[in-house]
């Protein structure tokens, strides 16, 4: 870190969406007053003082997240409070960490299946759904045709990541979701149902839809 480098970081951070070349920023730097340069020199010294603990902070963040964190988020956490000058970029962090002995990416591999509790709840819902429609027929003078379409989507209760960081030097190993069997992993189901009730049981004569 030096005064000019800190000035470049501040300009680019405050000018989101605009692109400044090093030559343009150097020209702007040459036009600054001595008082302004002193201020950037102080900021540069603060960055140098912060960088002394940078490795410890990086180690702590990787351990707290078990390597399940993006390079961009690592850079933002090392920067500290919002609005502070970025102390190190995500690409620099990636190059440093991945060149450490044994560093690699690991993917969480989990293949869940319905457990007995899920199956029981699904069976209970199906029985109640059947009773509802059978009961509805009792209160009608004649049987009505109702076309029903139901779709379901399962959401896993465990988030699977593909780029977990494994850094043995820091003692960081991704957490592996170990289960005795796939069916031991819980899931959440969302159900969407639509229905079409034709007028006078005539499928071509229009009708009412429900969802």
């Amino acid at each position: 870190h030096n005064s000019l480098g800190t000035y470049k970081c501040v300009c680019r951070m405050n000018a989101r969406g605009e692109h400044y070349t090093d030559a343009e920023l150097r020209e702007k730097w040459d036009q600054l007053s001595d008082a302004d340069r002193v201020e950037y020199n102080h900021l540069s010294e603060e960055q140098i003082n912060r960088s002394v603990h940078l490795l410890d902070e990086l180690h702590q963040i990787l351990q707290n997240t078990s390597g399940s964190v993006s390079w961009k988020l690592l850079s933002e956490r090392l920067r500290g409070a919002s609005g502070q000058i970025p102390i190190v970029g995500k690409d620099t962090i990636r190059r440093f960490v991945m060149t450490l002995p044994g560093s690699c990416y690991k993917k969480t591999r989990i293949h869940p299946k319905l457990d007995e509790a899920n199956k029981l709840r699904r069976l209970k819902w199906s029985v109640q759904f059947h009773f509802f429609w059978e009961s509805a027929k009792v209160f009608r003078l004649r049987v009505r045709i109702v076309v029903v379409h139901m779709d379901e989507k399962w959401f896993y209760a465990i988030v699977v990541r593909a780029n977990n960081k494994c850094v043995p030097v820091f003692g960081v190993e991704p957490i592996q979701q170990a289960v005795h069997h796939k069916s031991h992993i819980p899931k959440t189901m969302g159900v969407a149902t639509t229905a079409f009730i034709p007028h006078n049981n005539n499928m071509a004569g229009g009708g009412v839809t429900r969802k």
Side-chain angles (χ1 to χ4, degrees):
H1 295 280
N2 54 39
S3 303
L4 177 58
T6 302
Y7 173 75
K8 291 179 180 179
C9 287
V10 172
C11 289
R12 286 169 174 153
M13 184 177 66
N14 294 334
R16 297 291 177 86
E18 298 183 24
H19 178 72
Y20 287 112
T21 64
D22 288 341
E24 291 173 338
L25 293 176
R26 179 68 196 220
E27 184 179 352
K28 289 178 176 292
W29 169 261
D30 292 336
Q31 297 174 0
L32 291 179
S33 65
D34 291 339
D36 290 334
R37 293 190 182 188
V38 169
E39 180 180 351
Y40 285 106
N41 184 56
H42 290 160
L43 289 175
S44 176
E45 291 177 353
E46 290 180 4
Q47 292 288 81
I48 294 173
N49 293 334
R50 288 177 57 201
S51 65
V52 174
H53 308 286
L54 192 61
L55 186 59
D56 292 335
E57 293 178 13
L58 177 61
H59 183 185
Q60 189 65 40
I61 295 173
L62 284 171
Q63 280 197 330
N64 290 343
T65 58
S66 298
S68 182
V69 60
S70 67
W71 300 117
K72 181 179 180 181
L73 185 56
L74 268 174
S75 177
E76 292 176 354
R77 291 193 179 184
L78 289 173
R79 179 175 65 179
S82 177
Q84 286 191 346
I85 304 172
I87 192 169
V88 61
K90 62 178 182 179
D91 293 331
T92 303
I93 298 173
R94 176 181 54 79
R95 287 193 295 267
F96 169 74
V97 172
M98 298 312 294
T99 53
L100 295 174
S103 294
C104 62
Y105 296 106
K106 285 190 176 181
K107 181 178 180 179
T108 305
R109 298 182 180 276
I110 300 177
H111 305 282
K113 184 181 178 181
L114 292 180
D115 59 17
E116 291 303 322
N118 292 134
K119 293 178 181 179
L120 183 60
R121 285 195 294 269
R122 184 71 176 93
L123 176 61
K124 182 179 179 181
W125 182 90
S126 300
V127 171
Q128 291 176 340
F129 185 80
H130 175 73
F131 284 164
F132 170 78
W133 284 110
E134 289 297 323
S135 300
K137 295 178 183 178
V138 176
F139 298 98
R140 301 293 300 180
L141 297 178
R142 57 194 178 93
V143 177
R144 294 292 305 272
I145 296 177
V146 179
V147 181
V148 179
H149 174 75
M150 182 179 68
D151 191 17
E152 57 189 42
K153 175 67 176 178
W154 292 101
F155 298 93
Y156 300 157
I158 296 176
V159 177
V160 179
R161 291 181 59 91
N163 293 319
N164 296 312
K165 283 74 174 172
C166 176
V167 191
V169 173
F170 291 159
V172 176
E173 285 283 346
I175 296 177
Q176 297 297 330
Q177 304 292 346
V179 294
H180 179 69
H181 191 269
K182 303 173 189 177
S183 62
H184 289 212
I185 302 175
K187 299 170 70 178
T188 300
M189 183 179 71
V191 178
T193 305
T194 59
F196 174 67
I197 308 173
H199 295 312
N200 300 320
N201 289 344
N202 182 6
M203 298 296 294
V208 180
T209 59
R210 293 289 185 266
K211 63 179 180 178

